Amino acid sequence: MWLKYAGVTHEQMIEVVKKSVTDGEVCDWVRHNVKKSPAEKPRMPGHLQPPQPDNAEAVARLKLRKEQSGIVHRDDIKTFVDYIDADEKRL
């Protein structure tokens, strides 16, 4: 979903990751190559935000992912980005 929003192809992202040593290098590439106008930015999916309480599907999906990874007890994991970091042992 993010690739589509950012206008980046799957192949481009794979190539960037292959040529990068750190996540920071990938982040730098994104900052320099993904440009969105102020009008487009609000349309970005809310993966960096906690699921809204009224979005039962997103709340349930985050809970399920935490259960599947054995980290359901981690109340500090509020977003899908937090979940990915915890699942990959960075948080």
Side-chain angles (χ1 to χ4, degrees):
M1 190 172 6
W2 181 87
L3 293 173
K4 181 179 177 183
Y5 167 79
V8 176
T9 68
H10 179 81
E11 293 77 16
Q12 283 175 303
M13 198 69 212
I14 288 173
E15 202 56 35
V16 169
V17 171
K18 281 182 179 180
K19 292 180 179 178
S20 301
V21 176
T22 67
D23 290 345
E25 290 175 330
V26 174
C27 188
D28 290 342
W29 183 90
V30 169
R31 274 194 212 105
H32 290 105
N33 293 282
V34 176
K35 306 289 185 208
K36 293 292 175 183
S37 72
E40 292 174 300
K41 288 182 181 181
R43 289 188 274 180
M44 181 176 180
H47 290 103
L48 301 179
Q49 302 298 321
Q52 298 302 308
D54 62 339
N55 186 342
E57 182 182 337
V59 170
R61 188 170 46 250
L62 180 59
K63 181 181 178 195
L64 175 65
R65 296 290 185 256
K66 289 169 62 174
E67 288 171 354
Q68 291 171 331
S69 297
I71 55 176
V72 72
H73 65 283
R74 297 277 308 269
D75 293 331
D76 59 316
I77 299 170
K78 306 275 188 211
T79 68
F80 289 101
V81 172
D82 291 343
Y83 165 74
I84 291 167
D85 282 344
D87 188 53
E88 293 179 354
K89 311 289 188 261
R90 289 191 303 265
L91 178 71

